[in-house]
């Protein structure tokens, strides 16, 4: 009886011990797995996030505001780069962006025209368009806000006046009223080089040139290829009196948050240069590849 009791006690004790030990083990494991795992989890998550980022860089993935589309925003008043004809955008950059999108397996989608000085901020803010291609000169100020692709075109400024004007060049701008498009490098040039001229800015080049025709402004500083095009096709009573060799280069603006998109566009652009498409588009709009 005693023995049995003892044996009973012993077995109860052993059972308790086993139970306690296994509970400890469970807790230890749980502790280990919860504590250990959660910290492991955190680092695993971080690592996973990092490796996703790394993978994003590696696999070249980029984001698009609308799936399957390269959404472009521009100030569509800049022929022969972009112009609205019967409500449709057309021009060198329109063709180039269409070809780039196609090369990337995307459809190009032009948003309605936007004020030029709103383009870089819109791309920097994100969410509206993937890119802006609008004869945008690559400048250090803009590069602080957005990324640019490789240059797509060289350009310079020029001074446009109404035929018969007494302004024969930059030396005659002092005290005159100079017009231009808001936020452009032409306006920057005028501010720097004609400090005592009055400067009037407009949202669209058609308004700038209409102001020149009506005498509201006496000279316009704008990109030469666009001035040449406008004068030849619409504003024949105006003329270029001086070319200003600023040595500008246009780039496509992309958000700094989307570096792989910039890389993918550069790759597509290179391919279009290699396969002759870029030259074809250049010939179509400029009749020369210089
Ligand atoms: N190249 C000049 C600049 O970047 C003028 C561009 C104007 N572009 C336009 N689409 N209106 O400031």
């Amino acid at each position: 009886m005693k023995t049995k009791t003892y044996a009973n006690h012993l077995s109860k004790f052993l059972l308790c011990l086993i139970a306690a030990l296994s509970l400890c083990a469970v807790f230890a494991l749980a502790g280990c797995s919860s504590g250990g795992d959660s910290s492991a989890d955190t680092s695993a998550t971080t690592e996973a996030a990092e490796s996703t980022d790394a993978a994003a860089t590696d696999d070249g993935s980029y984001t698009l505001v609308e799936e399957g589309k390269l959404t472009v925003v521009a100030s569509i008043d800049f022929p022969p780069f972009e112009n609205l004809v019967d409500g449709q955008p057309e021009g060198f950059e329109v063709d180039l962006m269409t070809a780039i999108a196609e090369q990337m397996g995307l459809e190009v989608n032009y948003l309605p025209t936007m004020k030029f000085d709103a383009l870089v901020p819109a791309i920097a803010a994100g969410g509206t368009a993937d890119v802006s291609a609008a004869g945008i000169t690559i400048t250090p100020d803009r590069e602080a806000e957005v990324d640019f692709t490789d240059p797509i075109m060289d350009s310079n400024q020029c001074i446009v006046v109404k035929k018969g004007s007494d302004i024969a060049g930059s030396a005659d701008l002092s005290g005159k009223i100079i017009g231009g498009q808001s936020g452009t490098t032409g306006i920057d040039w005028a501010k720097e080089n004609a400090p005592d001229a009055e400067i009037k800015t407009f949202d669209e080049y058609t308004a700038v040139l209409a102001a020149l025709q009506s005498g509201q402004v006496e000279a316009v500083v704008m990109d030469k290829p666009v001035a040449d095009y406008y004068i030849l096709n619409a504003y024949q009573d105006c003329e270029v009196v001086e070319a200003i060799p600023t040595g500008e280069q246009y780039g496509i603006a992309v958000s700094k948050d989307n570096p792989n998109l910039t890389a993918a566009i550069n790759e597509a652009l290179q391919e279009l240069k290699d396969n002759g498409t870029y030259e074809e588009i250049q010939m179509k709009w400029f009749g020369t590849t210089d």
Side-chain angles (χ1 to χ4, degrees):
M1 194 69 183
K2 250 187 183 170
T3 321
K4 201 181 171 195
T5 310
Y6 173 75
N8 268 350
H9 279 163
L10 182 68
S11 64
K12 267 183 193 162
F13 172 76
L14 282 174
L15 273 174
C16 275
L17 189 69
I18 289 165
L21 280 174
S22 38
L23 263 179
C24 274
V26 167
F27 277 123
L29 273 177
C32 182
S33 68
S34 76
D37 267 1
S38 74
S39 69
D41 266 344
T42 320
S43 65
T45 312
T46 320
E47 262 167 41
E50 273 164 14
S51 67
T52 309
D53 282 353
T57 314
D58 289 341
D59 71 11
S61 67
Y62 46 76
T63 60
L64 294 170
V65 295
E66 205 180 323
E67 211 187 303
K69 290 185 179 173
L70 186 64
T71 305
V72 186
V73 71
S75 172
I76 315 177
D77 66 335
F78 207 59
F81 295 94
E82 45 271 319
N83 197 19
L84 279 177
V85 177
D86 299 328
Q88 290 305 307
E90 59 164 59
F92 171 81
E93 274 178 315
V94 179
D95 283 354
L96 186 63
M97 292 319 295
T98 305
I100 286 173
E102 201 178 309
Q103 184 68 34
M104 293 167 72
L106 301 169
E107 208 181 290
V108 78
N109 178 32
Y110 265 81
L111 296 181
T113 187
M114 194 189 260
K115 277 171 51 174
F116 181 76
D117 59 10
L119 297 174
V120 167
I123 295 301
T128 305
D130 301 309
V131 297
S132 182
I136 307 176
T137 302
I138 303 170
T139 67
D141 280 357
R142 291 172 184 163
E143 277 179 314
E145 286 186 72
V146 293
D147 283 342
F148 281 100
T149 60
D150 294 335
I152 54 168
M153 183 60 65
D154 294 339
S155 189
N156 287 302
Q157 296 296 306
C158 70
I159 298 167
V160 186
V161 299
K162 205 170 163 187
K163 279 181 182 162
S165 162
D166 58 352
I167 300 172
S170 50
D172 303 327
L173 290 175
S174 173
K176 300 286 199 247
I177 308 170
I178 303 177
Q181 188 179 37
S182 309
T184 57
T185 49
I187 291 297
D188 290 344
W189 183 92
K191 284 182 181 161
E192 243 172 68
N193 295 279
D196 36 56
E198 184 190 333
I199 292 175
K200 279 196 180 153
T201 60
F202 303 83
D203 286 345
E204 301 238 325
Y205 271 114
T206 44
V208 176
L209 292 166
L212 183 64
Q213 284 184 315
S214 71
Q216 208 190 332
V217 302
E218 299 169 277
V220 166
V221 182
M222 64 185 289
D223 298 46
K224 185 160 185 304
V226 179
D228 289 341
Y229 184 96
Y230 266 132
I231 291 167
L232 191 66
N233 294 288
Y235 300 85
Q236 275 131 357
D237 54 345
C238 299
E239 63 180 341
V240 171
V241 285
E242 188 178 321
I244 308 165
T246 49
E248 291 169 56
Q249 289 190 305
Y250 299 160
I252 301 162
V254 186
S255 163
K256 284 188 180 294
D257 295 335
N258 216 358
N260 286 330
L261 181 58
T262 308
I265 293 172
N266 280 338
E267 206 177 294
L269 181 64
Q270 191 53 53
E271 179 57 30
L272 297 174
K273 285 189 173 172
D274 292 345
N275 71 18
T277 307
Y278 177 93
E279 210 171 280
E280 236 169 70
I281 300 172
Q282 207 180 3
M283 279 306 289
K284 173 177 167 190
W285 293 101
F286 299 98
T288 167
T289 55
D290 299 338

